[in-house]
Amino acid sequence: MTRPIGDLDINLLLALDALLQDQNVTHAAARLNITQSALSGRLTRLRRIFNDPLFVPSSSGRGMTPTSHTLALKPELQRLLQQLTQFVQSAHVFDPATSERTFRIAAMDNPAAILAPALLPLISAQAPAVRVAFTLPDKTQVNGQLERGEVDLFIGTAQDAAPNLIGRLLFNEEFLTAQRIGHPRGTGPLSLDTFCELDHLLISTSGGMFNGMIDEALADLGRQRRVTVSVQSYALAPLILNSTDCICTLPKRFLQRFTSHLELFTPPLTLDTFSMKLFWHSTVNADPAHRWLRSMIFDAVQTN
DNA sequence: GACGTCGTCTCTAATTTGAT
DNA sequence: ATCAAATTAGAGACGACGTC
């Protein structure tokens, strides 16, 4: 009965490989830089694991001859050792040109829309076989996903990230108001009165809400607006603005992607700015592949 | 988290065994 | 007698576990 592979360690595989090369315990031990006795002990353990003598004394009385079982193991052993060598090297080296790695970035479609157009050409130029998956973050799950390695990076605000994550500023963001080109109310900046009279589109990332930070800012001024459409996805906003008379107040960098269809102007009230940050877990901080991906993202932000 | 104890494993050096 | 492999004894390293 063969023993479970839990008894097997890499040193035993290296011993078997050395014995196959030298077919002599003393010479193989010298190759491995251990004593003949130590290699003899390893051979004993290999024999127990494989339930086979593996090597028998040569008829000449000098050296050991591999059994047919050992010779059958040889090609797979060499493949295994080659794969182990590559596995160890891959932990220290990341080659974008040959990597087929898939990176997962959790980001709302606002920062994804800002980053992806600049980021993806940078990545494909250096790493043609690398794949990137942008996923919508579940704020209750994303910290655990980062810790478990299910997500590589999270792009969001500090309030959405756990304090133990490593975070770096990507950009500071301010708000602009957008309306479709040809809007019946005319062009140019809005007065606060007109702003409050028009229909508004609101993006509710949690879904279904009709009030947000802008409504709170208006309330501080003793004013209110009318939100007639609430959507959960940023991607819908330009489409709806383009086909209705709604106006919408959204992050500047996002809206600037759609200036061919939308007219943008400064909102008629003071709104807080916010910081968009990149977050990752400390377990991947030194990972060469992660470092490369983070550098790509910071480069992409610079070009925005 | 630091520390001590215990059991297991692996090593070396010395010795034994077996083939020629 | 010589050479090579196997075995044995003892030492050290290491992990698991319990205690503080």
Side-chain angles (χ1 to χ4, degrees), chain A residues 48-287:
Chain A
R48 282 203 301 266
I49 290 167
F50 289 102
N51 195 30
D52 185 88
L54 297 177
F55 293 88
V56 295
S58 300
S59 56
S60 66
R62 291 179 180 273
M64 306 285 274
T65 302
T67 65
S68 58
H69 186 63
T70 312
L71 291 174
L73 292 172
K74 187 177 179 180
E76 193 57 35
L77 170 69
Q78 290 175 338
R79 258 196 299 277
L80 268 175
L81 291 174
Q82 189 175 11
Q83 286 174 0
L84 284 167
T85 303
Q86 289 172 352
F87 173 67
V88 171
Q89 288 174 344
S90 71
H92 300 287
V93 176
F94 173 71
D95 181 10
T98 58
S99 175
E100 296 181 0
R101 186 160 173 166
T102 297
F103 292 106
R104 299 186 185 282
I105 302 173
M108 294 304 296
D109 49 0
N110 161 37
I114 292 167
L115 269 176
L119 174 65
L120 297 177
L122 282 178
I123 287 178
S124 65
Q126 287 193 25
V130 158
R131 301 192 302 175
V132 181
F134 282 97
T135 60
L136 291 174
D138 178 339
K139 290 173 186 174
T140 63
Q141 300 285 327
V142 70
N143 292 307
Q145 290 171 329
L146 286 165
E147 188 171 348
R148 292 189 296 273
E150 295 165 5
V151 165
D152 294 297
L153 295 168
F154 168 55
I155 300 172
T157 57
Q159 65 192 32
D160 296 329
N164 64 317
L165 295 175
I166 300 171
R168 293 287 182 273
L169 177 68
L170 284 175
F171 50 80
N172 291 311
E173 186 63 298
E174 59 186 278
F175 288 93
L176 289 179
T177 299
Q179 65 177 37
R180 69 178 169 89
I181 290 173
H183 194 282
R185 75 97 188 163
T187 61
L190 289 162
S191 67
L192 186 58
D193 288 340
T194 309
F195 184 83
C196 293
E197 286 166 7
L198 292 169
D199 289 345
H200 288 254
L201 165 67
L202 177 142
I203 294 177
S204 163
T205 54
S206 56
M209 302 293 285
F210 282 86
N211 62 321
M213 59 163 288
I214 293 166
D215 299 278
E216 292 170 9
L218 285 170
D220 288 344
L221 300 173
R223 306 296 293 265
Q224 62 181 21
R225 64 173 181 170
R226 187 172 55 172
V227 177
T228 55
V229 182
S230 171
V231 296
Q232 205 167 358
S233 163
Y234 276 81
L236 276 175
L239 298 172
I240 293 172
L241 289 179
N242 205 33
S243 58
T244 69
D245 291 338
C246 283
I247 65 170
C248 186
T249 302
L250 289 176
K252 176 180 177 179
R253 288 175 186 248
F254 175 77
L255 286 175
Q256 284 176 330
R257 301 272 165 203
F258 307 100
T259 50
S260 60
H261 300 93
L262 301 177
E263 185 182 351
L264 311 180
F265 39 85
T266 304
L269 73 168
T270 303
L271 297 169
D272 289 338
T273 61
F274 65 94
S275 299
M276 192 61 74
K277 290 185 166 183
L278 183 65
F279 295 96
W280 62 92
H281 198 265
S282 56
T283 51
V284 299
N285 191 43
D287 180 334

